[in-house]
Amino acid sequence: QTSASVNIRERIDFSCALFDAAGRLVANAPHIPVHLGSMGESVLALLRDLQRGALEPLAPGDAVVSNNPFNGGTHLPDLTVISPVFGGDQLVAFVASRGHHADVGGITPGSMPPHSTTIEQEGLLLDNVPLVRHGSLLEADWRERLSAGAFPVRNPDQLMADLQAQVAANHLGVERLLQLMESQGVDPVC
């Protein structure tokens, strides 16, 4: 395996959680408490953006990314990937994963410069940016985003690989929740 595919796994700096359709925490893996304490705020920020029409409505197979510390993020290297879960046509839950990425740009490697004077100098700021739409990775858009600005991401291949790993984790969570809803019914599960 390349270093691009093992960054988050080796450091074990990630968390996964399940939220109901209102953004309330339902279940979480026992990983990093600081992630879990604020991840729900990221889901609530997504719901607010959807309600005010700032984003296209979500569909099955979608995933968005956020790290905005003003909307539930912790620090910029912690990227949260949020995937909706649908029971028929109805949004019934969210699966989310948050992982600490090695670099998200900024004026210094590691994306946490003590002498920054703006958040842009700390790295890539994301606020509910679509990563996957209808099951298709928006790779060209993301590669452009990662190389843009005065302080681009230094290793976009690694960041993209780690984001895809988060999408895969979310996909497995969505898949298992759908199986549970199929066997037990939507109402008892959600």
Side-chain angles (χ1 to χ4, degrees):
Q1 297 217 348
T2 67
S3 64
S5 63
V6 297
N7 169 54
I8 290 177
R9 185 185 67 191
E10 283 184 348
R11 291 185 298 133
I12 313 174
D13 192 352
F14 65 92
S15 298
C16 302
L18 172 64
F19 299 88
D20 69 11
R24 296 175 296 223
L25 180 65
V26 174
N28 59 264
H31 291 299
I32 311 296
V34 69
H35 290 175
L36 298 168
S38 61
M39 203 183 318
E41 293 300 318
S42 294
V43 176
L44 291 173
L46 172 61
L47 285 168
R48 284 191 301 271
D49 280 356
L50 289 167
Q51 289 169 351
R52 63 185 179 95
L55 293 173
E56 287 184 39
L58 295 174
D62 286 358
V64 299
V65 182
S66 184
N67 67 347
N68 189 337
F70 302 104
N71 282 330
T74 48
H75 59 160
L76 298 188
D78 283 347
L79 301 183
T80 303
V81 177
I82 305 168
S83 302
V85 181
F86 288 86
D89 292 336
Q90 182 181 355
L91 176 68
V92 295
F94 293 95
V95 172
S97 60
R98 180 173 284 179
H100 180 101
H101 292 258
D103 181 70
V104 293
I107 58 177
T108 62
S111 308
M112 296 187 300
H115 53 280
S116 61
T117 57
T118 66
I119 196 156
E120 292 78 17
Q121 292 175 336
E122 294 183 22
L124 190 62
L125 180 65
L126 304 164
D127 212 357
N128 299 318
V129 179
L131 173 63
V132 179
R133 286 295 284 167
H134 306 287
S136 295
L137 180 68
L138 305 175
E139 186 167 2
D141 294 345
W142 270 82
R143 290 213 175 258
E144 185 176 323
R145 178 175 288 107
L146 299 181
S147 64
F151 314 106
V153 172
R154 291 163 186 79
N155 189 342
D157 291 337
Q158 181 180 54
L159 185 57
M160 287 303 299
D162 283 337
L163 282 171
Q164 289 176 69
Q166 285 183 257
V167 169
N170 284 14
H171 180 75
L172 180 61
V174 170
E175 189 176 85
R176 296 281 170 85
L177 189 57
L178 290 174
Q179 290 171 352
L180 184 62
M181 289 189 306
E182 186 176 318
S183 70
Q184 301 299 313
V186 174
D187 290 338
V189 173
C190 299

